[in-house]
Amino acid sequence: MVKVGYLGPKGTFTNIAVEALFEADQTVSYRTIPECLDAVDRQEVELAVVPVENAIEGTVSMTIDYLIHQVELPIIAEVVVPITQHILVHPEFEGDVERIEHVYSHSHAIAQCHQFIHKEMPEVEVHYSASTGEAAAKVKDLKGQHAAIGNALAAQEYGLKVLRENVHDYDNNHTRFVVVQKEQAPVEMKDHEVKQQKTTLMVTLPSDRAGALHQVLSAFAWRKMNLSRIESRPMKTGLGNYFFIIDVNRSYDSVLFPALQQELQALGCETKILGTYPCFEIQSNAVHKM
């Protein structure tokens, strides 16, 4: 049975994602995304599940940059999980949110609830943690006017009370998680409907010249390869130096993709396939049962 690392501790949304795909006794939690990815690279675990994009806050740059610059771990699956953020407090807490003086959570969770905090808790002191689960664990050990932002699983895991439900600013709040693996081998996952197939590439443009990006996109367009995401990230070699992460809504094949890569190479681009994989989506009712 394979072991699966994830951004923990228990009660994080990554915990929900990993348990949606794998049995609970297969999982190992890590405090940070780099620790989780390093564990796969060192083969302490065979797989890792990490967040890559949130519908409200955008890309989880730590994940993308670490996969590009620090480790070489192909993406083998994607799962989309609905995100519901709640205000969690110690069970002995009395009163409403205006009595809270300190709130703890991951930076993305805080940002997803920015308007609620601004309007309902304008005087609160915000503290950032490595994960929503870590924030919930901290509030469990505190008494007084402390709260965490997290999910119902975290409340259940750490014995906290849900003071306010659904405090995220936008209803259509989802996060994409990817499964990565060092040594390609068959992986058994729970049975879910495959929503689509996807291939992710990294493309580095040639020297800065007018029309370079247009030429790159044209190579995809005339082949009728539909792109669901294109994003620039800094090369970390100086201002103005970027690479592009491109998601194509189809599996890698032996005809279109090699020809695409040859055309991009002729344009002076460098390309790298980061993974070709199935995409799954977890429904809200399934999350609430976990």
Side-chain angles (χ1 to χ4, degrees), residues 119-131:
K119 294 176 180 178
E120 303 285 340
M121 310 163 68
E123 304 299 324
V124 77
E125 186 173 344
V126 173
H127 304 271
Y128 296 105
S129 57
S131 67

Side-chain angles (χ1 to χ4, degrees), residues 135-170:
K138 186 175 185 66
V139 170
K140 175 187 176 182
D141 296 329
L142 296 171
K143 291 187 177 182
Q145 285 66 48
H146 301 270
I149 292 177
N151 57 55
L153 178 62
Q156 176 184 332
E157 189 68 40
Y158 298 102
L160 301 180
K161 178 170 64 175
V162 177
L163 185 64
R164 287 281 195 98
E165 293 184 337
N166 301 324
V167 298
H168 43 277
D169 297 332
Y170 300 93

Side-chain angles (χ1 to χ4, degrees), residues 33-34 37-38 41 59-74 202-204 231-238 241-245 270 272 274:
I33 290 170
L37 295 175
D38 284 342
D41 194 49
T59 296
V60 181
S61 56
M62 173 65 75
T63 299
I64 296 297
D65 289 350
Y66 213 80
L67 288 174
I68 295 297
H69 297 292
Q70 303 297 329
V71 293
E72 189 162 332
L73 303 172
M202 181 186 79
V203 178
T204 304
E231 178 180 354
S232 63
R233 292 294 305 158
M235 289 288 294
K236 304 187 186 301
T237 57
N241 298 328
Y242 298 93
F243 63 86
F244 289 84
I245 299 293
E270 295 181 11
K272 180 180 180 181
L274 299 181

